[in-house]
Every structure is written in C-alpha cells, then in structure tokens.
C-alpha cells in the first residue's frame, strides 16, 4: 500500500452524536470509509451540552481548562473529550459550555460567527496538543471555514501543522456565515483578506467564513460533479461564483455515498418484510403494510409516491401544493414525511383533510423510523429540488427499489439516469425546468411506466443494483488528498485574491 495519510475531519455535526441534515451522515460515513482504506483518521466536532450525552457515548476527558488565545484580546477556556466512531477512529469533542451548551439546537444563536471562530481555533489547538502530524485537514462547510485561513496566517508556523494541506468541502453554499450572506450590507461585506475582528467588534458577525475558506484552502470540493460546475455560475454560486471560477483548477466534485450496511433492505429492522434483488416480490408486502398503516386503500396497482425530505424552499416541494388538485385527479397515492416551513405544512394538512384516501402528511419528529419503511413500501420517491448539492435520500430510495422522480440539478443530475423508453434503460424520471408543468409531466410519465410490469420490474432491479456505497467516493477523496499534498508543486495562480492571501 502507498503512504498512510494522517487525516483530520473537522465538522459541526456527526451522526449519531449531533445531526441537522445530510452533513452529519457524510461526517459519520466518510471518515470510516477512509479508515477502512488503511489511513489514519481522526474527527473533531463540538460537544453540544444539551444534545450529546457524554455517558451514553462513554466519552473521556482528555484535556481540561485549555486556554485558547483567539487574538490579543480574547481568551476562551475549553475542554476536550474523546470518543470513538469505530475501532481505531477517535472522535474528539470540544467542550465550551458558554457557547455550545445553552441551546437545544446546533445553530441559530445571535453570535454564530464567534462560536465557530472559537471552534476553529480549538480544533487546530487540539491537533497540536495531540501532536497529530496531519497531512490533511478536511473542513466541511462554513462553520470550519476559518481553518484554511488560519493555517495560512495565525497557525502558519505551528510545528505539527506546518505540513498540513487543507481541503474545504462545500455541502451547501447557501450557508456562508452565521447569518444570510445577502443580508450583510454592502459596506460591511467581507472581502476575505483583512484581519479577523475581536469579539467586541460587531463586524465579526459579518465575516464570511465560506469565502475565506475558498480563498485559502489548498483544494476545494463540492458534493457532486454537477454542483461543482453549478457553483461557478451566477445562478447557483451564491455570489461566490467568481472567486470559485478563479480557483477552478482547485475545485473538484465528488458525489456522496450512503452507508450500505445501515441502508440495506435485506436486513433493515424497520421494514415489514426484508427483501433483496432475488426476493423482490416481497417488496409488495411492504407496500400493502404501508397502505394499511396509513389508512390508504390497499391495492398493489395504485402507484404509491413518497417524499422524505425537509419541507423547505430548497427541496421544491411547494410544487406539490401548487398542483395538488391535478395530482389528486391521477390514480395515485402520496405520502409526505417531513417537517419544515410552517406555511407549506399548513397547506399539506389542508390537502390531507380534503383527500384522506389519497394524501398523507407525517411529521418527521418522532417518526424518523418510517423513512426506510416508505422506501420499501412506495413505488416512487419524489424530489423536485430548486437546487441540490448532492441529495442522499434519492440514493437510499434507489437502494430500496423506490424509483426517484427528480429535477435535473446538482447531485440529482449525477445520480439518477432518466428512463429512456426506446432502450428501456434508466433508474428514474428526471425533469429539467423548475415548474409545475415539468414536474407533472415527469410524474405522469412515471405512472404510465409503472403499469408495464416487466419494464417496471427491471427498472427496480437496476436502481437497486446501482453502486452508491462510500467505497468509491472514499477512494476519490484519497486521490484528492494526494493531489492536495502535491499542490505546492503546482504553479500558484496569479490572481489578486491568491496574492493577498499569500502575502498575509
Ligand atoms: C447538504 C445538501 C445535500 C447534501 C448534504 C450532504 O445538506 O443540501 O444536498 O446531500 O449536504 O453533503
């Protein structure tokens, strides 16, 4: 085997310790998959006092009362705890009660930038304390965005970190700092180069962490190839498309995987009946069970569509309520699992009252266990996202033979192949434009094909046989890490931004 890499994964949430979305899934599975390839990996994340139970996870205190010198004025005291994600893969938690233990949610305080600035310094300090001579520091999303910047400035001469290269992975660029980037007044926008403000300076909350990471990281990645390209456009680049274009040769796309052990219809304890490609007929029993459970007419010939996403602007599910009447006129049933925007939910509740035999809405809270049962029981999984950096649920759905109906955007573009009636090839139904007509046409196309039994069965088998485990993306990340290690050999780009970062 070639050189064993020493990798630190730094991230604001890791399933099962803390989770608000797909980021936590990636943060759980990717380090494990890289570890399985033989590399030396550790992870660092915050200890959310009201969320993570130290006893349950058997965490051990390893460093107490460590003073972090954030800058000349601000000193913060933290502790570090150690736990395990799997044998030989440690996860370290930074404990800082004043900033990370007051809330029951991971994010949303009025001083988010300050919190994550502390965390970023704390993570780098820990790597030094551990004397973990990292080759790669892998930072995920904006919360860790100051790390690549610090490694080029404040921590530049740190002994243990001097060799480390940084990779910044963009999971969702709409999030760039503790508030919405478009709400920062023009005169307060962060151009990415000036010194970081002290705690007492309100301008700290305007610092754009994601931008700083993009300007400073040795390599940048997006969670799908299509999203990588989209990020360089005005439409998807969230005002950072230009600096991403400037760093095009350092920007890569790698599609996420899913944990094939956890998501396996053959042994998933949440299903009514387990099944696999050879025992595909058993999938029907799950459909019957789901129809019964949610008081829908039990009939295998009525196509059952499900959604399992957060009901937010991003996911585009507002289109469903826009054409609710038309959809309810079709011979189909629809189950939507998920919480989200209050206005959307109100509308969904209204539709379910009007069409109780066709439409069901289930809140996610307390019903998370239904997710895979729905993939097993439903025929289709609908996700008409406005934008979708990767999307994980369509991958899970395919693994359970639940055919995706998705919009051709981001990771959905990369992972679902549109059905072609001339060759009978494809793993789902894909539509281009974000509007109700395009989505409606895709649904109608899907429902029609459902009735051609052979075509339909083969499509399910193709979807189930798609290879979306973490093994392939993990190998791609390792290749990217190796590229990052060689990056200083590449001729640095002579852009203004790079120059000023270099000269800091
Ligand atoms: C974000 C993106 C989602 C992606 C996930 C994990 O939640 O919105 O598309 O799958 O991160 O990378």
């Amino acid at each position: 085997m070639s050189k064993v890499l020493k990798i630190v994964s730094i991230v604001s949430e890791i399933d099962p310790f803390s989770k608000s979305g797909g980021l936590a899934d990636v943060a759980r599975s990717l380090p494990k998959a890289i570890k399985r390839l033989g590399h030396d990996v550790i992870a660092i994340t915050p200890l959310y006092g009201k969320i993570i139970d130290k006893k349950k996870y058997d965490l051990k205190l390893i460093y107490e009362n460590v003073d972090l010198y954030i800058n000349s004025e601000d000193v913060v005291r933290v502790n570090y705890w150690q736990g395990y994600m799997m044998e030989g893969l440690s996860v370290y938690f930074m404990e800082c009660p004043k900033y990370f233990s007051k809330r029951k949610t991971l994010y949303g305080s009025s001083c988010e930038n300050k919190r994550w600035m502390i965390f970023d310094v704390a993570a780098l300090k820990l790597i030094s304390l551990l004397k973990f001579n990292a080759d790669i520091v892998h930072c995920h999303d904006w919360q860790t965005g100051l790390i690549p910047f610090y490694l080029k400035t404040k921590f530049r001469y740190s002994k243990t970190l001097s060799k480390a290269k940084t990779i910044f992975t963009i999971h969702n660029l709409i999030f760039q700092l503790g508030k919405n980037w478009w709400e920062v007044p023009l005169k307060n926008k962060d151009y990415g180069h000036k010194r970081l403000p002290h705690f007492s300076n309100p301008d700290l909350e305007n610092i754009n962490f994601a931008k700083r990471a993009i300007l400073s990281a040795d390599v940048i990645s997006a969670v799908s190839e299509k999203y990588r390209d989209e990020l360089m456009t005005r439409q998807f680049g969230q005002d950072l498309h230009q600096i991403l274009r400037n760093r095009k040769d350092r920007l890569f796309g790698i599609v996420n995987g899913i944990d094939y052990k956890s998501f396996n219809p053959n042994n998933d304890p949440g299903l009514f009946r387990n099944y696999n490609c050879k025992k595909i007929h058993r999938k029907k029993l799950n459909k019957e069970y789901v129809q019964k459970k949610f008081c829908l007419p039990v009939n295998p010939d009525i196509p059952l569509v499900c959604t399992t996403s957060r009901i937010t602007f991003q996911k585009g599910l507002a289109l469903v309520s826009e054409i609710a009447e038309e959809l309810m006129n079709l011979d189909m049933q629809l189950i939507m699992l998920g919480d989200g925007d209050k206005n959307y939910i109100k509308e969904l509740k209204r539709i379910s009252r009007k069409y109780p035999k066709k439409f069901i809405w289930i809140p996610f809270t307390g019903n998370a266990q239904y997710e895979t049962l729905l993939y097993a029981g439903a025929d289709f999984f609908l996700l008409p996202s406005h934008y979708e950096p990767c999307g994980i649920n369509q991958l899970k759905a395919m693994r359970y033979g639940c055919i995706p109906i998705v919009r051709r955007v981001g990771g959905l573009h990369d992972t679902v192949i549109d059905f072609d009636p001339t060759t009978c090839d494809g793993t789902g139904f894909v539509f281009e434009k974000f509007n109700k007509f395009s989505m409606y046409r895709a649904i109608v196309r899907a429902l029609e094909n459902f009735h051609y039994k052979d075509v339909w069965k083969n499509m399910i088998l193709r979807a189930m046989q798609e290879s979306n485990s973490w093994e392939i993306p993990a190998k791609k990340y390792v290749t990217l890490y190796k590229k990052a290690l060689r990056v200083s050999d590449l001729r640095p780009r002579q852009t203004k931004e790079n120059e000023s970062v270099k000269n800091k």
Side-chain angles (χ1 to χ4, degrees), residues 21-23 26 171-172 223 256 310 314-315 388-392:
L23 174 62
V26 176
H171 294 261
N172 190 344
V223 287
N256 291 331
R310 279 171 296 123
Q314 177 191 343
K315 302 295 171 184
E388 196 59 74
C390 178
I392 290 181

Side-chain angles (χ1 to χ4, degrees), residues 42 57 73 94 101 109 127 133 164 168 201 213 221 230 280 319 354 357 368 376 379 399 411 433 468 471:
I42 61 171
Y57 295 113
E73 267 178 25
M94 174 214 64
S101 298
S109 90
I127 302 173
N133 288 309
F168 178 62
N201 182 348
S221 75
E230 289 171 347
I280 190 71
L319 289 182
K354 189 164 174 195
K357 295 278 165 229
D379 303 297
R399 175 108 165 112
K433 295 218 166 88
N468 287 311
E471 205 184 318

Side-chain angles (χ1 to χ4, degrees), residues 32-49:
K32 288 187 186 171
I34 290 175
K35 170 86 191 159
R36 282 192 203 105
L37 294 177
H39 298 283
D40 188 4
V41 193
I42 61 171
I44 307 178
T45 196
L47 191 105
Y48 300 98

Side-chain angles (χ1 to χ4, degrees), residues 2 79 92 124 141 153 212 225 284 326 340-341 361 377 425:
S2 56
N79 303 321
Y92 296 95
L124 291 172
D141 262 358
T153 52
R212 296 225 172 201
E225 288 170 30
K284 284 196 194 96
E326 289 83 347
D341 190 299
W361 170 71
D425 210 3

Side-chain angles (χ1 to χ4, degrees), residues 8 10 42-45 62-63 66 68 78-82 90-94 119-132 155 160-161:
V8 189
I10 310 182
I42 61 171
I44 307 178
T45 196
I62 51 162
Y63 299 108
V66 177
L68 301 177
V78 299
N79 303 321
Y80 296 100
W81 295 74
Q82 183 181 18
S90 292
V91 51
Y92 296 95
F93 296 87
M94 174 214 64
F119 174 70
D120 288 1
V121 175
L124 291 172
K125 176 75 185 175
L126 176 64
I127 302 173
S128 298
L129 288 172
L130 293 169
K131 297 195 174 56
F132 189 84
F155 281 82
T160 35
L161 289 161

Side-chain angles (χ1 to χ4, degrees), residues 13 20-27 140-141 169-175 222-224 227 254 256-257 310 314-315 383 385 387-395 411-412 470 477:
E13 49 186 89
S20 79
L23 174 62
D25 293 320
V26 176
H140 296 270
D141 262 358
T169 294
I170 302 172
H171 294 261
N172 190 344
L173 197 56
I174 203 134
F175 305 118
V223 287
S224 67
Y227 190 49
I254 300 178
N256 291 331
R310 279 171 296 123
Q314 177 191 343
K315 302 295 171 184
L383 187 56
S385 302
Y387 69 95
E388 196 59 74
C390 178
I392 290 181
N393 292 358
Q394 82 279 10
L395 303 179
L412 301 176
W470 268 105
Y477 272 107

